[in-house]
Amino acid sequence: MLIINDLNVSIQDKEIISGLNLEVKAGEVHAIMGPNGTGKSTLAWAIAGNDAYTVTGGSITYRGRDLLALSPEERASEGLFLGFQYPVEIPGVSMTNFIRTAINEQRKYRGLSPIAAPEFLAKMDENKKLVGIDSKLTNRSVNEGFSGGEKKKNEIFQMAMLEPTLAILDETDSGLDIDALKVVANGVNRMRSKENAIIVITHYQRLLEYIVPDFVHVLYKGRIVKSGGKELALELEEKGYAWLKN
Amino acid sequence: MEPILKALTLKEQLAEQFRVHRDIICRNDTPFISQARERSFHRFLEMGFPGDHMERWRNTDLKRALSVDYDLDVEAPASKMDVSGILRCNIPHFNTFLVSLYNGWYLSENGAWITRPDGIVIGSMAMAAKQYPHLVEESFDRIEKTSRNGLEALNNALAQDGIFIYVPDNVNAGQTIQLVSMVDYTRNLFLQNRNLLVVGKNSRLTLVHCDDSLNHQPSFTNTITEVFLGEGAVIDHYKLQNINDKSTVINTTLFHQASNSRLSTHGTVLNGGLIRNDIYVDIDGENCMADIFGLYLVDKDQHVDNQVQVNHFQPNSVSNQLFKGIADDRARAVFNGYIHVHRNAQKTIAYQSNKNILLTDKATVNTKPFLEIYADDVKCSHGATVGQLDEEALFYIRSRGISYDNARLLLMYAFAAEVINKITIEPLRLRMDDLVKKRLRGELSICDQCVLNCSAKENTVSFDIDMSKI
């Protein structure tokens, strides 16, 4: 589904990702771990298409297409979703309308007619229950005045509404209490299927107790230095990252 | 009206016009008004047009607007015009009492002077000089004595017509009065209007005032509107400006508030070559409320300047200014908010906020909050911001599948909506909302008819966002 080949990414002429390779197949859950400042978020931004991050080399192929040739909105409409580490507040734009607009823009891209109101509302209700947010939140402006936990739940809520094929969750677990963590994990697990794939970026093994990955990768200095199964996360928890630096 | 000689400056032309047409200009005057005109004209000749030598005009340059050859139209149109053919206001569920100023001349299908069953008097200023000479004389006297610049003096000298509204005490004008100033002249027109609105004790009035151009001919409109709020009076005032790119509007509005009165004035600039709004609010009573809101959307080489001065003369009143604007291309926006709290005005609460978005690096904003406080027990604040569309928010929206253009629109609209949402008349708010969206989408040009009719030619722009529920 996603093939990253020898990827180099810079921000303001500073190379952050250097020769990264990664392949994610449909049905898989990958966890990317690693110390601070090794390029985990940069990788997520580059895949999502933030133009502050310049791809200086390599390729990203998504479902057979050159992802780097697409705009962020086209990538989203092709089924890519990025859960932000720091979700952005948008005063004046209501949650409900934001989501409906996003769904309809994606549907337009795919040649579908706008979503019918009853279907949309039913989906809203279902997913609000799933992530445990109420109408008070969805009637507000996007993320405005939301608590840290509410913002993260809102990312999962948006993911559930948009039904992506590939979701990248950038430290969605950071700053969450154990109940919120379970809500997030539950939302992610609901998305798991033979057709979909998920990349979870995290510092901690804790989230991986709830979202059990098929593969764990360690990112260090802009490249993957070690890959393994879910037991690698436990090993990292025990030993830290220092042993991998050599 | 003979064409004016190009060799003369506008000031010289006006002097010539005043000399030649004095009898026509003074036709409806009392002797007192004629004398006031005379003195004001000399005052104009002394002061000239405002320029950058004046602090309040530093950022607005009239040179280009004044370099056009204009006609002065001193004769009211002889034949009765059928205004209904020009302007059909079709805002759903919005029933207004419509009067117009057509090229500066009062025009109403109800005649030049009517007293409605509720006691409200609506008519032309030319008639008012005969019916209520003392009110009109006082107005000319005031403006003569307080003229802050040559344009105000010029208005006092040359203004022949305008709208007059008198609401007696204890009357609730249920129906909104809509005043449409239309410029539709075959040549370049320089016109002065003078409006006077008096709202009695405990009375209520809602007024929607639109400045429109009906063609693409350059024009220069210099208007003074005086509004008096008696004790306990409530005024909802809406101003909508949508004139062509070659035209200039200098709009001076003076509000006078007596005790316990409530003023809300809400201005929207949709389009215009050069628009300058001078808004003065004199709070000369206790327990008053004054809300002064403004939204301006400018692009190309347009220029908009909002100057607000709130004078708190008495204690225990509240004023609140909120102005927001978006400038695109090479457009320029100016905001100057001045709050003056006099020594006696204890317990004043006065807020001011001006927020701007610049869409290009060629667009400019000059914003200047200015507080002058002589009382020691007051609560005052001001704030001004100038920024760009939030890049992070843009990316966030796009990452959800919303196109770049629509993401921008969404952010611009959300920015403007804070001011639009202050409109309390639901049908008007919905229509304004619609107009602002059209404007932001680049679909709004000046209409064949009044902008409120809004059968504007719409370009087919791909835009499927339903922003009605934002």
Side-chain angles (χ1 to χ4, degrees):
Chain A
M1 175 178 290
L2 183 77
I3 300 165
I4 301 176
N5 189 23
D6 195 23
L7 187 72
N8 291 279
V9 182
S10 298
I11 178 162
Q12 289 167 349
D13 294 332
K14 193 180 170 215
E15 190 165 271
I16 309 287
I17 302 275
S18 316
L20 185 138
N21 295 294
L22 179 68
E23 181 170 358
V24 178
K25 295 198 177 79
E28 294 176 350
V29 174
H30 290 243
I32 295 179
M33 304 182 74
N36 289 323
T38 53
K40 299 191 297 296
S41 288
T42 300
L43 177 63
W45 291 113
I47 297 171
N50 188 332
D51 58 16
Y53 298 80
T54 316
V55 175
T56 52
S59 66
I60 305 179
T61 312
Y62 170 68
R63 294 163 86 189
R65 293 193 62 169
D66 175 11
L67 195 70
L68 297 176
L70 302 177
S71 67
E73 54 269 32
E74 287 168 334
R75 297 180 198 199
S77 297
E78 289 284 346
L80 183 73
F81 179 87
L82 172 62
F84 281 53
Q85 185 179 0
Y86 303 108
V88 182
E89 297 192 9
I90 313 174
V93 178
S94 86
M95 265 307 299
T96 305
N97 204 55
F98 178 61
I99 295 282
R100 194 181 52 181
T101 303
I103 288 175
N104 284 339
E105 290 258 297
Q106 292 201 13
R107 287 176 69 98
K108 189 170 76 180
Y109 179 88
R110 295 168 195 157
L112 301 171
S113 57
I115 189 167
E119 191 192 337
F120 174 74
L121 293 173
K123 238 174 125 170
M124 286 281 285
D125 282 345
E126 185 195 332
N127 289 318
K128 275 190 278 191
K129 276 192 210 113
L130 172 74
V131 299
I133 58 176
D134 58 23
S135 301
K136 263 185 254 157
L137 230 50
T138 49
N139 288 338
R140 298 223 309 252
S141 292
V142 178
N143 291 323
E144 191 183 31
F146 287 27
S147 71
E150 284 168 343
K151 283 181 183 170
K152 295 299 179 69
K153 283 185 190 174
N154 190 19
E155 293 297 286
I156 300 302
F157 173 70
Q158 290 177 46
M159 182 182 80
M161 290 298 293
L162 295 170
E163 298 173 339
T165 311
L166 172 64
I168 303 166
L169 303 175
D170 188 5
E171 296 198 26
T172 305
D173 55 333
S174 64
L176 292 187
D177 62 35
I178 197 74
D179 292 328
L181 195 70
K182 283 180 184 165
V183 168
V184 166
N186 185 30
V188 175
N189 288 329
R190 277 273 303 262
M191 201 196 126
R192 288 182 89 153
S193 76
K194 281 202 293 277
E195 291 79 35
N196 296 338
I198 299 161
I199 299 172
V200 180
I201 294 171
T202 182
H203 273 299
Y204 306 107
Q205 189 269 337
R206 192 177 63 164
L207 178 68
L208 304 180
E209 285 174 18
Y210 301 97
I211 304 171
V212 182
D214 301 303
F215 301 95
V216 174
H217 310 278
V218 180
L219 196 62
Y220 181 66
K221 285 192 176 165
R223 50 200 305 183
I224 289 171
V225 292
K226 194 165 177 64
S227 297
K230 60 181 186 241
E231 62 288 342
L232 179 57
L234 290 168
E235 204 176 342
L236 290 167
E237 185 82 355
E238 197 183 314
K239 296 186 187 167
Y241 293 110
W243 62 286
L244 288 167
K245 288 182 184 175
N246 309 312
Chain B
M1 188 69 242
E2 66 274 25
I4 41 184
L5 297 167
K6 282 192 178 177
L8 301 177
T9 66
L10 184 58
K11 194 172 150 187
E12 289 162 344
Q13 288 161 17
L14 288 164
E16 180 66 7
Q17 301 282 347
F18 189 68
R19 193 182 59 77
V20 173
H21 298 294
R22 184 177 286 138
D23 291 347
I24 303 173
I25 292 167
C26 298
R27 188 184 282 155
N28 297 304
D29 289 354
T30 63
F32 182 92
I33 297 172
S34 293
Q35 286 156 20
R37 285 187 193 281
E38 203 72 49
R39 289 188 296 269
S40 284
F41 197 79
H42 282 108
R43 186 96 181 95
F44 161 69
L45 292 178
E46 278 164 31
M47 286 196 278
F49 288 105
D52 55 12
H53 58 284
M54 299 169 76
E55 178 62 27
R56 294 176 69 98
W57 288 84
R58 270 195 351 182
N59 298 310
T60 291
D61 186 357
L62 290 177
K63 274 190 216 84
R64 205 171 67 174
L66 294 172
S67 68
V68 175
D69 287 331
Y70 294 106
D71 282 6
L72 194 64
D73 185 13
V74 293
E75 279 290 2
S79 58
K80 258 194 109 115
M81 296 236 357
D82 181 13
V83 68
S84 61
I86 303 168
L87 189 135
R88 290 181 302 276
C89 187
N90 68 350
I91 300 182
H93 315 296
F94 190 42
N95 173 23
T96 63
F97 186 93
L98 182 68
V99 289
S100 3
L101 293 172
Y102 185 76
N103 294 330
W105 302 102
Y106 184 89
L107 206 55
S108 169
E109 52 198 0
N110 301 297
W113 193 262
I114 68 152
T115 305
R116 304 198 327 172
D118 54 11
I120 298 177
V121 176
I122 301 172
S124 75
M125 276 296 270
M127 285 292 283
K130 294 189 167 67
Q131 303 280 345
Y132 289 92
H134 60 287
L135 286 180
V136 179
E137 284 177 0
E138 278 170 20
S139 176
F140 275 81
D141 191 41
R142 256 190 317 275
I143 300 301
E144 183 200 329
K145 293 190 169 121
T146 62
S147 294
R148 297 162 185 89
N149 61 60
L151 279 167
E152 287 180 31
L154 186 67
N155 181 286
N156 215 44
L158 296 183
Q160 289 169 265
D161 209 353
I163 183 179
F164 173 86
I165 300 177
Y166 176 76
V167 184
D169 294 349
N170 306 307
V171 173
N172 182 354
Q175 194 183 27
T176 298
I177 294 172
Q178 187 183 357
L179 168 62
V180 183
S181 309
M182 292 174 281
V183 179
D184 180 21
Y185 203 67
T186 47
R187 295 189 299 275
N188 307 335
L189 184 63
F190 189 94
L191 71 92
Q192 331 281 325
N193 270 132
R194 183 64 161 273
N195 307 312
L196 180 60
L197 283 67
V198 181
V199 178
K201 284 182 192 167
N202 305 313
S203 289
R204 276 190 93 108
L205 177 70
T206 304
L207 182 78
V208 178
H209 185 177
C210 314
D211 289 329
D212 282 296
S213 27
L214 302 188
N215 61 23
H216 293 275
Q217 204 72 26
S219 64
F220 192 118
T221 304
N222 176 30
T223 298
I224 294 180
T225 303
E226 277 198 292
V227 184
F228 286 85
L229 291 87
E231 281 178 28
V234 179
I235 289 189
D236 260 331
H237 174 255
Y238 297 96
K239 181 93 191 159
L240 173 59
Q241 293 167 311
N242 187 28
I243 58 167
N244 70 41
D245 291 342
K246 293 175 193 154
S247 286
T248 300
V249 166
I250 310 292
N251 173 56
T252 305
T253 311
L254 305 112
F255 294 99
H256 304 267
Q257 288 190 256
S259 295
N260 302 306
S261 63
R262 274 175 29 219
L263 166 70
S264 171
T265 175
H266 188 289
T268 306
V269 175
L270 286 175
N271 202 78
L274 191 160
I275 292 179
R276 158 96 174 198
N277 292 308
D278 276 88
I279 302 163
Y280 296 92
V281 180
D282 283 351
I283 301 178
D284 206 0
E286 294 198 43
N287 305 310
C288 294
M289 289 269 294
D291 284 324
I292 306 125
F293 303 129
L295 174 67
Y296 40 96
L297 309 169
V298 279
D299 59 8
K300 291 168 282 188
D301 291 298
Q302 300 174 355
H303 182 103
V304 62
D305 182 353
N306 283 296
Q307 302 272 328
V308 183
Q309 179 168 346
V310 180
N311 292 311
H312 283 268
F313 292 110
Q314 303 292 336
N316 299 312
S317 289
V318 180
S319 69
N320 181 25
Q321 299 173 39
L322 172 66
F323 280 76
K324 293 180 97 169
I326 302 175
D328 199 354
D329 302 326
R330 301 158 305 276
R332 298 176 306 277
V334 182
F335 176 79
N336 201 336
Y338 177 25
I339 300 171
H340 189 154
V341 181
H342 291 255
R343 192 179 301 275
N344 189 32
Q346 297 293 358
K347 306 278 182 198
T348 288
I349 299 174
Y351 300 121
Q352 182 190 104
S353 169
N354 175 230
K355 294 177 184 166
N356 299 280
I357 289 179
L358 295 177
L359 295 177
T360 68
D361 52 10
K362 294 265 172 20
T364 57
V365 168
N366 282 286
T367 175
K368 189 170 132 192
F370 194 82
L371 271 60
E372 205 171 330
I373 301 169
Y374 296 100
D376 54 12
D377 184 14
V378 300
K379 205 189 275 181
C380 295
S381 74
H382 64 81
T385 60
V386 180
Q388 292 157 309
L389 286 179
D390 183 345
E391 286 292 332
E392 260 188 74
L394 267 179
F395 178 70
Y396 188 75
I397 297 171
R398 294 175 75 193
S399 80
R400 298 306 183 239
I402 298 171
S403 71
Y404 175 73
D405 287 346
N406 283 341
R408 270 168 58 99
L409 275 172
L410 209 55
L411 288 178
M412 286 193 277
Y413 175 76
F415 177 80
E418 186 186 359
V419 182
I420 303 166
N421 289 339
K422 302 283 188 191
I423 299 175
T424 51
I425 307 170
E426 178 81 0
L428 182 65
R429 189 175 56 75
L430 293 175
R431 178 50 58 102
M432 287 300 296
D433 196 73
D434 188 46
L435 286 172
V436 168
K437 285 174 192 164
K438 281 188 176 143
R439 178 68 173 91
L440 292 173
R441 296 196 303 240
E443 291 171 29
L444 188 74
S445 57
I446 67 152
C447 315
D448 293 334
Q449 297 160 351
C450 161
V451 72
L452 286 179
N453 190 16
C454 203
S455 50
K457 299 163 219 98
E458 290 183 25
N459 305 326
T460 36
V461 172
S462 162
F463 185 75
D464 295 318
I465 293 184
D466 174 9
M467 295 203 291
S468 62
K469 298 234 171 59
I470 285 176

